[in-house]
Amino acid sequence: MLSVAIAIPTYNEANNVETLLVRIAKECAEEGDVAVTIAVLDDSSPDGTAQLVRDLAGRLETDTFRIRVIVKADKAGLGAAYVNGFRILVNEGFDYIMQMDADLSHDPAYLKQFFEQARKGMDLIVASRYIPGGGSPDWSLYRRFLSAGGNIYSRLMLGNKLTDYTGGYNMYSRAVLKSARPETITATGYGFVIELKHRALLASSASAEVPIIFLDRTQGTSKMPAGTLLKNFALVFRLRFASVN
C-alpha cells in the first residue's frame, strides 16, 4: 500500500475547501492501493476554514482516506506553512508528500497520474502547464507570456529537466523531500516553490512531469504579492550560482 500525504496550505479558503476535499476523496476512492492523508496547513484563517475542515473530516474518512488540520498561530505565508507541514509529515514516514493549492486551480482528477508515476518508482513528479496536454486557458496572453518566459528562464539557468518550475502541484518521495531540506530555504511565497523544486531535482534519481490544465480560482482573491516576478528572477539567478550545501 502506497502512503501519500497531500499538504494543502489555506488562508480564508472556506468557500473552496469543502468542494476540493470532496473531489479529492472521490478520486482517491478509486485508488485501491493508495492510502491518502490530507494535511490542511491553515494559517489561522479568520473565516473558519480550519473548523470547516474538521467538520468534514469525519464525514469523508475511510480506511484509506483521512483528513487532518495543522494550524499555525500566525499568518506566516506559503513557505512557512509548507516548512511546518513538511517537517511533521516527513517525520511520520509517508512514502510520498504532495503540494496542492486550495483554490481549485489544481484539479484532483490529475491525482491518478501522480499515483501512476509513483508506482513506476519516480521520486519527483511535477505537474506542468508546458508539455503537451497542459495549459492555462483562463489566463490573458500577457500573463501567459510572463509565466512561460519565467519558466524558460528558469530552465536555462537551472537545468532543462523540468518545464514548469513555478507551479505548485508537485509530488516528492520522502527521501527526496528530506534531502531537499525545505526548512533551510530562505525564499518566501512562490520563490519557495521554485527553490524547493530545484533542490528536489538535484536530489532526484528519477523524475517525471504530468500535463495539467491550470484554472484560475473562482472564489476569493489571488494571494500573489506585487513584485513576485522580479524577486523570482533574482532568486533563480542566485540559485544558478550558489551551492545548495
Side-chain angles (χ1 to χ4, degrees):
M1 180 77 71
L2 195 69
S3 63
V4 178
I6 304 177
I8 305 176
T10 56
Y11 184 74
N12 286 350
E13 294 290 358
N15 290 331
N16 295 316
V17 73
E18 180 172 5
T19 299
L20 176 66
L21 295 178
V22 168
R23 289 175 62 187
I24 293 175
K26 180 178 180 296
E27 294 296 331
C28 291
E30 301 175 4
E31 304 291 334
D33 63 341
V34 183
V36 174
T37 295
I38 305 297
V40 174
L41 314 176
D42 190 65
D43 269 359
S44 295
S45 299
D47 71 347
T49 296
Q51 188 56 51
L52 177 58
V53 172
R54 293 188 188 100
D55 294 341
L56 281 168
R59 176 158 61 91
L60 296 177
E61 186 171 318
T62 68
D63 290 341
T64 57
F65 184 83
R66 69 188 185 101
I67 301 170
R68 62 190 293 192
V69 183
I70 300 171
V71 177
K72 286 186 95 283
D74 56 341
K75 186 179 185 300
L78 184 71
Y82 273 132
V83 166
N84 184 50
F86 287 161
R87 175 181 54 81
I88 295 169
L89 299 173
V90 165
N91 288 337
E92 291 182 356
F94 291 95
D95 297 323
Y96 286 86
I97 298 169
M98 292 190 66
Q99 296 173 285
M100 188 177 190
D101 288 351
D103 60 7
L104 302 176
S105 59
H106 295 156
D107 193 335
Y110 296 115
L111 288 171
K112 61 174 65 71
Q113 296 184 47
F114 282 97
F115 298 154
E116 180 181 347
Q117 293 298 328
R119 293 185 188 102
K120 293 178 181 178
M122 301 294 108
D123 57 17
L124 171 63
I125 304 134
V126 171
S128 176
R129 297 158 289 180
Y130 300 108
I131 58 176
S136 46
D138 292 345
W139 286 5
S140 66
L141 286 175
Y142 177 70
R143 190 175 175 188
R144 289 185 203 177
F145 172 77
L146 288 180
S147 178
N151 275 288
I152 290 171
Y153 169 73
S154 297
R155 289 183 67 188
L156 291 173
M157 295 292 284
L158 302 179
N160 60 10
K161 289 186 178 180
L162 297 181
T163 63
D164 198 332
Y165 273 92
T166 59
Y169 200 1
N170 310 293
M171 187 174 190
Y172 310 87
S173 73
R174 179 177 179 270
V176 162
L177 188 57
K178 189 174 182 179
S179 294
R181 296 180 293 127
E183 70 279 3
T184 67
I185 294 175
T186 58
T188 59
Y190 290 92
F192 175 88
V193 176
I194 296 173
E195 186 162 357
L196 177 61
K197 218 179 288 192
H198 171 60
R199 292 187 180 195
L201 185 59
L202 293 176
S204 169
S205 59
S207 62
E209 290 187 306
V210 298
I212 64 161
I213 299 297
F214 179 91
L215 301 175
D216 265 341
R217 63 160 57 239
T218 57
Q219 299 287 337
T221 58
S222 173
K223 301 177 179 66
M224 180 180 290
T228 293
L229 184 63
L230 290 177
K231 288 180 182 178
N232 288 346
F233 266 76
L235 168 67
V236 169
F237 185 85
R238 176 176 65 80
L239 291 177
R240 173 64 180 81
F241 297 103
S243 171
V244 175
N245 297 322

